[in-house]
Amino acid sequence: MKIRHKLLLILLATATLTSLLIGIGSAYILRSAVRERFAERLRVESGLLSAWVAAAGPAQDAESVAIAAAKALGARVTLIGADGRVLGDSARHLEDLSAMENHLSRAEVMRAARDGIGHASRVSASTGIEYFYTARRIDGAGPVRFARIALPTAEVQQVESHYVLLSIAMTLVALLALTGIAYAVVRRVSRPIERMSLAADRTTAGDLTAEVPYDGTDEVANLGASVDRMRARLLEKIAELDADRSLMASVLAGMKEGLLLIGPDRRIELANEAFRRIFDVPIEPTGRRLAEVIRNPAVSRDLDRALAEGGEVHDLVLEAADSGRSFEVHVTPLPSRIAGRPGGVLVLFFDVTRLQALESVRREFVADVSHELRTPLTSITAFVETLLDGGLGDAENSVRFLEIVRKHADRMGALIDDLTDLSLIETGAVELTMEDVDAAEVAREAANLLGQKHASREVAVRTDVPSPFLVHADRRRLEQVLLNLIDNGIKFNHPGGSVGVTGHVEERRPVLVVEDTGIGIPADSLQKVFNRFYRVDKARSRDMGGTGLGLAIVKHLMRLHGGSVRVESEPGRGSRFILEFPPRRNDGR
């Protein structure tokens, strides 16, 4: 129900109740006034009647006087003797007077005998009609002692009803007028409030541009102005909250760490996309219990511990079974949002897979370096001890021993040089002098150098790279890459085999291919040959004098150039190392 209708109903109820009370009071007053007016009339007319009877004298017929007076006064007239006998009555014929009761016992007659005038109201025993009676005592010598006038109560009630109805009609007219006035006033007062309510409803429905109208300077106008100011502040706060929420959503979406917000009832209140990706959660985790999403007792245990002790827990490394990735879990209790209740917890999953892998690589690297250094050092130590123990006197063997020592020392030096070079390349400490280099020329020089160096191996080295074959690279580092690949192709080949270098362009990218007819690489080692110290055949590699770092250097140098290297091979059928360089600038090919 609208406030306009409520106010109107209240005003109408008040006006109706007031009118009813006024109407009842007015009816009572009017009834009393009418009765007093008739009583006064009866007193006056009874006085006139008494004077008339006294003037008529004893000779006048009482019945005739009663009838004449009744016609003149418009009322019933009764003349009563001193003994109470009715001498004349305008309502009775003369022959009936003897049958009428003695009237000395009538209340109005008794009062008139005592006080000179008396009043009463009752139903007449002779006519059966209710009357208002007024009797007056007549002091004189005539036979009539009392003169009585009677008016039917119906006549009085008719007059009363007339005035009461008139009063009711005036009250209704006044009530209708008051209703109209009240409606106009209520409408004027309620209209601003209704407009405010409508604006509030539009705001609730999402129309935040709806202004609250207000006019004037009264309390309602002040309320409208206050509501409008409140709406403006609310819009500012909503904009701030939307901005904060958007920022929060962006932060959560951009996080690589998995995030969970868990309530005190162990149900997930918030989960970011990274968490779903990490644990491959196919369902919406929000609203579900933690155990339904992650079935890991260690996480639940740390969650309970954080809630119970109120402290952070971050000493757990969790492995995701599906992805094989490792995560460090941080569980942080949150303050309660309701006093007296425990708060939730924030769970963060930090991906430490790379750190774990780096730690594993570090351990393997240390072990490999130790192994690679220990072998030549053991040989050097053994031959030096042999020489010190008397072997210097054997000229032939001492020279041979020293040659072996020098060979192992050279191998250690090469290993240290390659380690240093690889470390500089991996850390970005190597500065490349980038220019347009003719790769055909570099390939020919590298092939000629290594062909002469390993001539005894009877492996043919040839190049078939169109000249000029320009690549954007550092010339010295490009030469280092080709030397490593051609050198490996010669070392791991058969007598009578070959190593070839070719070049072509694929989608504007220069590509060099170093292909040999050597022993090849097993399929399970294709992705490992670029790792440090990895050897397919360890015994053969050591015999060839390799450090196990050449292909790792090739891989990182190609990355520094913005390119890549990959290998294709079959055991016993040789290998193809494919070098892909980025497109040259302003290359129109």
Side-chain angles (χ1 to χ4, degrees):
M1 183 181 292
K2 293 184 177 180
I3 187 172
R4 176 190 305 180
H5 299 154
K6 290 182 179 180
L7 291 175
L8 187 59
L9 284 178
I10 292 172
L11 289 177
L12 288 179
T14 303
T16 302
L17 181 60
T18 303
S19 300
L20 183 61
L21 293 175
I22 293 175
I24 293 173
S26 299
Y28 178 77
I29 293 172
L30 285 173
R31 188 169 180 271
S32 300
V34 168
R35 295 200 174 203
E36 289 180 1
R37 178 69 181 86
F38 274 95
E40 180 64 25
R41 172 188 168 186
L42 291 176
R43 281 195 297 269
V44 173
E45 290 180 352
S46 65
L48 293 175
L49 179 59
S50 299
W52 189 351
V53 172
Q60 183 68 33
D61 181 23
E63 180 66 18
S64 300
V65 173
I67 293 173
K71 290 180 180 181
L73 298 176
R76 178 185 175 186
V77 176
T78 304
L79 300 178
I80 305 167
D83 56 358
R85 184 169 53 87
V86 176
L87 302 178
D89 192 327
S90 61
R92 303 287 292 182
H93 296 292
L94 185 60
E95 60 271 14
D96 294 330
L97 294 179
S98 60
M100 294 180 68
E101 297 178 357
N102 191 291
H103 279 46
L104 284 179
S105 60
R106 299 292 191 264
E108 69 277 5
V109 175
M110 293 174 64
R111 293 190 185 98
R114 184 181 67 247
D115 301 325
I117 188 171
H119 304 282
S121 176
R122 68 177 180 278
V123 178
S124 173
S126 56
T127 63
I129 300 174
E130 184 179 5
Y131 290 96
F132 287 109
Y133 295 100
T134 298
R136 187 178 287 272
R137 188 181 64 209
I138 301 175
D139 297 324
V144 179
R145 186 66 172 171
F146 300 98
R148 187 183 69 176
I149 296 177
L151 284 175
T153 56
E155 183 179 343
V156 177
Q157 290 172 353
Q158 184 180 2
V159 175
E160 289 177 354
S161 299
H162 171 73
Y163 284 107
V164 168
L165 291 175
L166 182 61
S167 174
I168 291 174
M170 294 178 65
T171 302
L172 290 176
V173 171
L175 183 60
L176 289 175
L178 182 60
T179 301
I181 295 172
Y183 180 78
V185 172
V186 167
R187 187 168 180 269
R188 179 178 179 83
V189 172
S190 64
R191 182 183 295 176
I193 299 176
E194 291 174 356
R195 292 164 66 187
M196 293 178 199
S197 177
L198 180 61
D201 290 340
R202 291 174 58 189
T203 302
T204 303
D207 184 6
L208 301 181
T209 61
E211 294 186 357
V212 178
Y214 56 91
D215 299 315
T217 58
D218 58 5
E219 289 80 0
V220 176
N222 292 335
L223 175 61
S226 299
V227 172
D228 205 32
R229 287 192 298 269
M230 183 174 65
R231 183 193 62 83
R233 289 291 298 159
L234 180 62
L235 289 177
E236 294 176 3
K237 289 297 181 183
I238 291 175
E240 292 176 4
L241 290 175
D242 286 342
D244 292 342
R245 184 173 59 183
S246 298
L247 178 61
M248 180 66 70
S250 300
V251 170
L252 293 179
M255 287 179 61
K256 295 183 179 180
E257 295 79 10
L259 180 143
L260 280 181
L261 181 62
I262 302 176
D265 57 352
R266 304 299 195 276
R267 292 189 181 274
I268 298 174
E269 296 182 357
L270 178 65
N272 68 346
E273 189 62 29
F275 168 79
R276 299 184 64 174
R277 288 197 305 269
I278 289 171
F279 295 99
D280 193 22
V281 180
I283 58 176
E284 173 58 45
T286 304
R288 300 180 181 272
R289 293 189 178 275
L290 180 62
E292 299 179 47
V293 181
I294 304 179
R295 299 185 180 277
N296 190 291
V299 177
S300 299
R301 183 181 63 248
D302 279 26
L303 174 65
D304 293 337
R305 178 181 166 191
L307 288 173
E309 299 178 1
E312 294 186 11
V313 179
H314 49 84
D315 57 352
L316 173 67
V317 174
L318 172 70
E319 291 188 1
D322 296 337
S323 63
R325 297 163 66 187
S326 300
F327 299 91
E328 184 175 288
V329 182
H330 287 207
V331 183
T332 304
L334 299 177
S336 175
R337 287 170 287 184
I338 302 177
R341 292 189 182 180
V345 294
L346 179 67
V347 184
L348 292 174
F349 298 87
F350 292 93
D351 191 344
V352 294
T353 306
R354 183 175 177 80
L355 294 178
Q356 297 280 78
L358 290 176
E359 180 62 21
S360 177
V361 169
R362 185 189 65 81
R363 289 194 298 268
E364 292 178 1
F365 176 75
V366 172
D368 289 340
V369 170
S370 300
H371 179 74
E372 294 294 332
L373 291 176
R374 186 179 294 111
T375 300
L377 278 175
T378 301
S379 298
I380 291 172
T381 302
F383 286 111
V384 169
E385 288 178 351
T386 301
L387 291 173
L388 291 176
D389 289 341
L392 290 174
D394 187 348
E396 181 180 353
N397 286 326
S398 63
V399 171
R400 184 170 64 85
F401 288 166
L402 289 174
E403 287 292 336
I404 294 173
V405 169
R406 186 179 67 179
K407 175 184 175 182
H408 285 294
D410 290 344
R411 180 181 173 189
M412 291 177 63
L415 178 62
I416 293 172
D417 289 343
D418 283 350
L419 282 173
T420 303
D421 203 13
L422 181 60
S423 177
L424 293 174
I425 293 171
E426 286 182 337
T427 57
V430 173
E431 294 184 3
L432 301 179
T433 304
M434 303 297 290
E435 58 182 336
D436 287 339
V437 179
D438 186 1
E441 180 183 349
V442 176
R444 286 194 299 269
E445 292 176 357
N448 291 335
L449 177 64
L450 292 176
Q452 295 175 6
K453 180 180 178 180
H454 299 294
S456 61
R457 294 185 180 274
E458 298 180 0
V459 176
V461 181
R462 64 179 183 275
T463 61
D464 187 15
V465 182
S467 182
F469 192 83
L470 300 179
V471 296
H472 195 65
D474 183 295
R475 182 184 183 87
R476 188 172 71 85
R477 294 298 180 180
L478 176 60
E479 183 179 12
Q480 184 179 4
V481 168
L482 292 175
L483 285 173
N484 272 315
L485 294 177
I486 296 172
D487 188 59
N488 283 344
I490 295 173
K491 287 179 180 179
F492 298 98
N493 215 319
H494 307 288
S498 65
V499 178
V501 182
T502 60
H504 62 278
V505 177
E506 290 184 5
E507 299 179 356
R508 300 183 62 247
R509 296 173 62 90
V511 178
L512 292 175
V513 180
V514 179
E515 185 173 5
D516 64 68
T517 60
I519 61 176
I521 303 170
D524 59 351
S525 298
L526 287 177
Q527 299 302 321
K528 301 177 182 177
V529 293
F530 294 103
N531 296 341
R532 300 184 186 94
F533 300 114
Y534 184 82
R535 293 183 175 90
V536 177
D537 187 343
K538 296 184 179 180
R540 183 183 178 93
S541 297
R542 289 196 177 91
D543 291 342
M544 298 298 177
T547 63
L549 297 173
L551 291 181
I553 292 174
V554 169
K555 179 182 72 173
H556 289 288
L557 281 177
M558 288 303 296
R559 286 183 178 177
L560 281 180
H561 281 82
S564 63
V565 59
R566 55 190 173 89
V567 61
E568 298 174 354
S569 180
E570 292 183 20
R573 304 189 65 175
S575 304
R576 296 179 72 246
F577 287 88
I578 303 164
L579 305 173
E580 295 183 348
F581 294 86
R584 285 193 313 115
R585 296 179 180 178
N586 301 324
D587 189 358
R589 291 182 297 174

